[in-house]
Amino acid sequence: MRQISSMLQGLARSMSLGKERKQAEEAQGTVLRSSGTLWGEGSETFAAACSRRGEKGTNQDTSIVWEGYGCQDDTIFCGVFDGHGQWGHYVAKAVRESLPQQLLCRWQEAVALASLIDGEKRLGDCQFDLLRQSYLAAAAAVDDELRRSRRLDAVNSGCTALSIVKQGDLMVVANVGDSRAVLATTSDDGDVTAVQLTVDFKPDLPQEKARITQCEGRVHCLDDEPGVHRVWVPHREAPGLAMSRAFGDYCVKDYGVISAPEVTQRRITAQDQFVILATDGVWDVLSNEEAVRIVAATPDREKAAKRLVECAVRGWRRKRRGVAVDDCSAVCLFFHTPAP
């Protein structure tokens, strides 16, 4: 009950801040938008983030860690965003800025309405449902905002978005695209094991391909890229999008590509150690188990994300010789970590 009261009070405080919220958070040092680290005193977490430009030009990856999300001491928002297309880096940054704010606004409204209708006791039973519906509404608003923007051309550019909201022991994960979240947890025999929390939304997944083909889009590989399935419009070889869900990419939005996230939940236990959010540049060359071992074996947690990204870059050069290294970004969020 105390947690629900705290949530209502925190959301009320954040609503009063309005447009000053971003500046207030930055002034308090609670938002991280680049490589670095952030202690979460209220949420007992520690986040390490790192992004490395590949060999394809501008780094189109970006990330955010927002401690005290919604003015709630026990809540943290983390996300990684992977742009693609000519203006993908701008789209990724736009989504990074808009999604947390849009989600918070809708979450505030949903919590306030639910508390009026059902009271605080009922509110505690529907935390996940409120966040899930808020995420779906926020994603739709962000995509519509991009479509109407006069500053960004997101017709042939877009980005993926993987984010989490952790409040107390509840962690809600929302995924649009082919970035991935992997949890490290301790098994009964004491080993650290990897648990994949998200689905890589590639066009050849049966349910994704069915939706795309039903909308008259096409899914196939190029002759020189066996195994890499892409989305194409009906009558020409364009745009060749390598994921089935994304923000932007309006040239294929009528052909089955969507921006709706898959939203799931996980209750964090004492056995759960950390979660990794990383773009596909990391997962293309490292398995879930390899990534978890790398992070778990890093004695200095402040360097965990950097070491993971460095291992991914080496993996590209070793396993994908002759192929340009992709951008690689990761956020590692450690649990049960009181600030020093």
Side-chain angles (χ1 to χ4, degrees), residues 242-272:
M243 69 281 304
S244 58
R245 302 191 185 197
F247 288 101
D249 294 305
Y250 300 112
C251 62
V252 284
K253 280 294 167 66
D254 290 336
Y255 301 106
V257 173
I258 61 174
S259 60
E262 180 183 62
V263 186
T264 57
Q265 66 175 323
R266 170 91 181 194
R267 289 286 176 181
I268 301 301
T269 69
Q271 286 70 45
D272 298 330

Side-chain angles (χ1 to χ4, degrees), residues 82 178-180 202 278-285 316 326-327:
D82 182 0
D178 57 359
S179 293
R180 186 185 304 169
K202 302 290 189 181
T279 56
D280 66 333
V282 173
W283 305 115
D284 282 348
V285 292
W316 273 91
D326 199 3
D327 302 331

